[in-house]
Structure formats: C-alpha cells, structure tokens
C-alpha cells in the first residue's frame, strides 16, 4: 500500500499544481497588461484585420506590429461574451494546459517521479510569468517543441509539423523566435554528435530552416521578424527585463534543475549529448539574462533534468523497467484530465463572484475620467496606461505597458518625471496634460501638488490631479 501511494505521489503533486493555478485564476483580473491586450483585440476585431491599428496615444511615434493577435482577439471575444469572469476562466484553462503539457513533455524523458519533480520545479520557475497574458501560448508550445526535438535527437527523424507550428506561434507571442532558435541549436548538437548521415542532417536542417522561413508568411507582415528585438530599445524601462535576482523562488527552481543536471552528468557520465549540453548552456544564459526569461530557462531544461533524474532512478531498478515506464498511461492521463475538469467546473462557479470586478485599478475615479473631454491628455502611472486605453479609449495617456510604440527618448523622459530628477517638471509641462493619474504618495504626485496641482479624487491607491490652470500645463 505504501509503495503504491509513493508511486502515485508525483501525479498527486501535479494535480496540486493544477489546483494552485486554479486558485490564481479565481481572483480579479489585475495584470496591467491585460487591459491593452483587450483594447488591441477589440481593435483587430473591429477593423477585420491583423494590421497595426492607429496609435492610441499622441505620444506614441514609433511604428510597430501586433505580435500576439490571435490570443488577443480570442480574449476580446471572450470578454464580449462572458465578461471578465470569462477571462479569468480562460486564464485558468490556459494555465492548467501549461502544467499538463510540461508534465507530459517531461514524462517522455522519465517515469512519474522524475517527471513530477521536474514539473514542480519548472512551474516554480514559471510562476513569475504565469499570468493571464498571451505568453501562456508560448509556455505551452515550448515544451511541445522541446519534446519533439529531443525525440528527433534520439531517432534522427524530422518532425515536419514543427514548421506550421512555428507559423501559428508567430501569430500568438513573440517567443516564437526562441522555438526557432532551439531548432537550430538541436541541429548543431546533432551534427556535433556525428551520429547522423548527411541526408538525415539535411532533413532536420530543413525543419529548422523551414520553421524560420514560414514566419515570413505571417499575415502581420515582415515587422514580426523585427519585433522580438525591437523591445531592446525600451527594455531598460521594464522591470521584468532587469537582470535576474537569483535569490527569488522562480530563479531558484530553474537553477536547481540546471545544477542538478550538471551534477548527475558529472557523477554518472550518462545521458550527456552535445544537444543536451547546449540546452543546459542555453538555460543558464536565460536564467542569467533577465527575470523575463527565467521561464524559458525552466521550460527548456525541465525535460533534460527529468532524464538526468531518470538516470539516478535506474540504479534502483532495471533499465528495461525504466524504459517501459516512460510515457503516460491511460490511468495517468485520466487522472490529469478528470482533475482539470473538476477544477475548471469549480472555477466556472466561482469566478462570477471573484472576478467580475477588475483589481488594482482606480474604479472610483472612472466617473471623473468619463467627464473629461475626448482627447484630454493624461500624465499617468505607467501601469494604468492600458486601463485608460481600454476603459477610457477617448483619453490620451502619456505611456502604457505596450511601450513599443513609444521612443526610447520618450520613455527616458517619463522615467525622469517619475523619479523627479532634475528637469522633471519640464517633462510634465511639455506634455500639455491638464490632469495626472498617479499613485497616491508617489514622488511625482507630491511634486505636482507642490507645484499647485489639485487632488480631484482618490481611489484604490491612486490620485487624480488637476493642473492649477490650463496655461500652466501648456
């Protein structure tokens, strides 16, 4: 009995992860980026095209292209039909799919214990990014891609379906380029192993190259090729692109898998291939590069870590027994599907009561904002730009979380104002904004009040300020 319980404990842990993400979904929609994603999805629906809509703000001067149109359109339709509770349920569904896909990808590399431990650590590494945004599509597709290329490394057979997958991915999230890059990484690793014939390498190379070339057929246009790199001009102003704090729980989860894999390889000298070494090096880079990319480190190293753990487990049983245990069985899949179904049913009953009202936005100021004349400029808190675009589309905010339509000089000016460094008031004055919507007690709000701006209401930690006169804002 104890042995049976121990055997199924890893699956119970994965079901626990499903319950955990369901709990996260049963909250008010509060990610500040959700609002501009909804605005963009509605614009794309209304214009019947995936082309870039007109700039939402007069302060946005840089050309850009939508890089996540499909999930944005889906989210906009869900919100139109079911409101914010529908979005919360959709988030729960997508997050559960991430957990299940990560586990199934790991399961191809080892038995339940190894796959379960790796899944827990991978979800931990992803926890900082597991929010209700289109990036969840990438978190589903990246484990699928890793599983496919790891299998191609073993049998040297091309998975041609990865080519159309890359095209779909390029319509869903900017991390498509990571998936394409890993195709070339595996190709290099397989070539270095000298196991493949020239013909086999050519076919695998065609998959990698085709996955990149097919993105050129993206209906959004060639700008989608530049978009993943355009963010570098403004990434310094986005907190999640800061260098990784390795002491946080998410990075520690990824680091545990990276270090654990390396230690097992050093101790056993088994399971090491050129491709897997390159994956480990890549994961180390993503872990170091930025908080935003810790999730890539966790998702890419998880199946390799699973295989390393499996190497240790085979010492307690025969290799034949270990090989036979790889891949989920019917009972295992049934438990996962049943658990997710129960949780999603419960979530559908809960979210109308927990998620009908948005979180972390100044709802009490909506009436005052509605009274402002169309086109009124608003010097806003960064995180409220998307909310203004969606809830108050007639206003003209200074900046928003999409940020790519804004020049780096504009973003620098905004940082200058927020930090109230030398010349900051000139930035606000030059904006010609007669009102400001800022965090209560922030340095900028205090500075504006010192210059005579008058509070005109507070709500949920934010204050609406009016300039002393139109002239002083011009």
């Amino acid at each position: 009995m104890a042995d049976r319980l121990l055997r199924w404990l890893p699956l119970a842990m994965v079901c626990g992860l499903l319950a955990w993400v369901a709990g996260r979904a049963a909250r008010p929609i509060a990610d500040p980026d959700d609002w501009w994603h909804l605005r963009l999805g509605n614009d794309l629906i209304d214009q019947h095209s995936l082309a870039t809509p007109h700039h939402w703000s007069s302060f946005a001067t840089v050309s850009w292209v939508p890089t996540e149109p499909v999930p944005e359109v889906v989210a906009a339709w869900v919100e139109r039909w079911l409101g914010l509770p529908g979005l919360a349920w959709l988030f729960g569904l997508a997050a559960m799919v991430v957990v299940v896909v990560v586990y199934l990808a790991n399961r191809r590399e080892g038995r339940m214990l190894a796959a379960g431990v790796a899944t827990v650590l991978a979800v931990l590494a992803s926890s900082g990014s597991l929010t209700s945004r289109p990036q969840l599509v990438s978190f589903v597709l990246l484990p699928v891609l890793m599983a496919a290329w790891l299998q191609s490394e073993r049998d040297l057979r091309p998975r041609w379906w990865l080519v159309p997958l890359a095209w779909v991915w390029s319509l869903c999230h900017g991390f498509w380029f990571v998936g394409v890059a890993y195709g070339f990484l595996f190709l290099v690793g397989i070539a270095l192993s000298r196991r493949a014939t020239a013909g086999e390498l050519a076919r695998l190379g065609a998959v990698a190259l085709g996955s990149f070339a097919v993105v050129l057929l993206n209906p959004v246009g060639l700008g989608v090729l530049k978009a993943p790199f355009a963010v570098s001009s403004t990434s310094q102003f986005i907190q999640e692109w800061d260098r990784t704090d390795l002491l946080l729980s998410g990075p520690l989860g990824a680091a545990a898998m990276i270090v654990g894999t390396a230690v097992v390889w050093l101790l056993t000298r088994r399971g090491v291939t050129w491709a897997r070494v390159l994956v480990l090096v890549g994961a180390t880079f993503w872990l170091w590069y930025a908080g935003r990319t810790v999730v890539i480190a966790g998702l890419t190293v998880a199946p390799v870590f699973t295989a390393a753990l499996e190497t240790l487990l085979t010492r307690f049983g025969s290799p034949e027994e270990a090989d036979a245990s790889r891949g989920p069985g019917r009972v295992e899949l049934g438990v996962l599907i049943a658990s997710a179904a129960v949780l999603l049913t419960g979530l559908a009953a809960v979210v109308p009561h927990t998620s009908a009202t948005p979180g972390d936005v100044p709802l009490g100021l909506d009436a005052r904002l509605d009274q402002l004349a169309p086109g009124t400029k608003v010097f806003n808190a960064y995180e409220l730009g998307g909310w203004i675009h969606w809830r108050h589309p007639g206003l003209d905010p200074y900046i928003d979380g999409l940020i790519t339509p804004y020049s780096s000089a504009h973003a620098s000016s905004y940082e200058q104002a927020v930090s109230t460094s030398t010349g900051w008031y000139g930035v606000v004055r030059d904006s010609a904004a007669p009102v400001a919507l800022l965090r209560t007690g922030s340095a900028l709000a205090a500075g504006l009040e010192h210059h005579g701006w008058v509070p005109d209401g507070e709500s949920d930690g934010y204050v609406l300020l009016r300039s002393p006169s139109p002239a002083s804002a011009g």
Side-chain angles (χ1 to χ4, degrees):
M1 182 67 176
D3 289 344
R4 183 174 295 180
L5 288 175
L6 184 61
R7 178 188 174 192
W8 289 97
L9 179 60
L11 189 60
M13 292 191 302
V14 176
C15 292
L17 291 176
L18 294 176
W20 175 72
V21 298
R24 294 191 71 169
R27 299 175 185 174
I29 299 294
D31 190 313
D33 285 353
D34 281 332
W35 311 119
W36 65 257
H37 282 301
L38 279 175
R39 167 65 189 273
L40 182 52
N42 278 301
D43 282 4
L44 296 176
I45 292 172
D46 292 341
Q47 70 185 22
H48 305 289
S49 167
L50 299 184
T52 307
H54 294 298
H55 282 308
W56 299 330
S57 170
S58 63
F59 301 101
T61 58
V62 178
S63 61
W64 61 288
V65 297
T67 57
E68 302 153 325
V70 170
E72 286 165 340
V73 167
V74 169
W77 276 120
V78 168
E79 193 278 329
R80 288 185 180 191
W81 293 332
L82 302 173
L84 296 182
L87 285 181
W89 189 90
L90 182 64
F91 167 44
L93 172 63
M96 287 185 199
V97 172
V98 171
V99 173
V100 171
V101 169
V102 169
Y103 176 72
L104 295 180
N106 291 341
R107 195 68 174 81
R108 295 172 65 88
E109 300 296 318
R111 65 190 84 178
M112 280 197 291
L113 178 57
V117 171
T119 300
V120 170
L121 291 175
V123 173
L124 177 62
S126 308
S127 58
S129 299
L130 208 59
T131 60
S132 49
R133 286 193 267 170
Q135 60 196 14
L136 291 177
V137 176
S138 283
F139 303 164
V140 170
L141 297 183
L142 190 52
V144 171
L145 178 136
M146 291 297 298
W149 275 108
L150 284 168
Q151 187 61 32
S152 287
E153 183 203 16
R154 281 189 285 266
D155 62 20
L156 301 178
R157 293 171 53 194
R159 267 71 189 174
W160 296 107
W161 53 267
L162 288 172
V163 176
L165 180 74
W167 183 83
V168 173
W169 197 342
S170 70
L171 288 169
C172 295
H173 189 247
F175 276 177
W176 65 265
F177 80 94
V178 176
V180 170
Y182 269 86
F184 286 100
L185 180 146
F186 271 95
L187 181 65
V188 171
I190 293 169
L192 289 173
S193 70
R194 299 184 178 181
R195 292 175 46 243
T197 65
E200 289 169 331
L201 277 178
R203 286 187 288 273
L204 293 172
V207 173
L209 186 60
S211 297
F212 174 76
V214 75
V215 177
L216 298 173
L217 302 177
N218 188 302
V220 174
L222 296 181
V224 75
L225 298 176
K226 303 175 184 177
F229 309 101
V231 72
S232 61
S233 63
T234 51
S235 61
Q236 58 185 312
F237 308 108
I238 306 174
Q239 186 177 4
E240 64 183 3
W241 285 105
D242 291 344
R243 284 284 181 261
T244 307
D245 183 350
L246 296 175
L247 297 181
L248 296 177
S249 58
L252 285 174
M257 290 189 285
I258 293 170
V259 173
T261 301
V263 169
V264 171
W265 284 352
L266 288 172
L267 293 177
T268 66
R269 308 289 179 177
R270 294 180 60 187
V272 186
T273 66
W274 274 109
R276 290 170 187 251
V277 169
L278 292 176
V279 168
L280 197 67
V281 172
T284 304
F285 168 76
W286 294 123
L287 174 62
W288 162 82
Y289 185 69
R292 180 79 170 90
T293 56
V294 170
V295 59
I296 300 177
L299 295 179
T300 54
V301 77
V304 176
F305 175 64
T306 302
L309 285 182
E310 186 65 25
T311 298
L312 294 181
L313 292 176
T314 56
R315 296 194 172 191
F316 300 94
S318 68
E320 294 80 6
E321 186 181 73
D323 288 340
S325 68
R326 297 188 187 188
R330 291 183 179 179
V331 174
E332 198 175 343
L333 282 173
V335 170
L336 287 173
I337 294 172
S339 298
V342 169
L343 288 167
L344 287 170
T345 301
L347 196 60
V350 169
V351 290
H353 308 286
T354 62
S355 306
T357 302
D360 298 337
V361 291
L363 297 176
L365 297 176
D366 280 343
R368 285 181 172 84
L369 293 172
D370 286 337
Q371 293 170 359
L372 296 175
T376 299
K377 293 180 170 61
V378 182
F379 204 97
N380 60 289
Y382 176 85
E383 67 275 10
L384 291 182
W387 171 254
I388 296 172
H389 285 316
W390 182 67
R391 175 60 180 80
H392 306 279
L395 300 182
D396 189 6
Y398 191 80
I399 200 166
D400 62 82
L402 178 58
I403 203 150
T404 46
Y406 300 92
S407 68
S408 58
H410 181 80
S412 295
S413 295
Y414 179 75
E415 285 294 307
Q416 181 184 3
V418 168
S419 62
T420 61
S421 57
T422 303
W424 70 270
Y425 192 64
V427 174
V428 178
R429 185 180 59 246
D430 292 344
S431 73
V435 296
L437 183 58
L438 305 167
R439 281 199 175 274
T440 303
S442 65
L444 181 54
L448 289 179
E449 289 192 55
H450 179 74
H451 278 267
W453 288 57
V454 181
D456 189 29
E458 293 188 32
S459 174
D460 300 282
Y462 291 94
V463 59
L464 181 66
L465 298 166
R466 292 182 181 271
S467 67
S469 68
S472 66

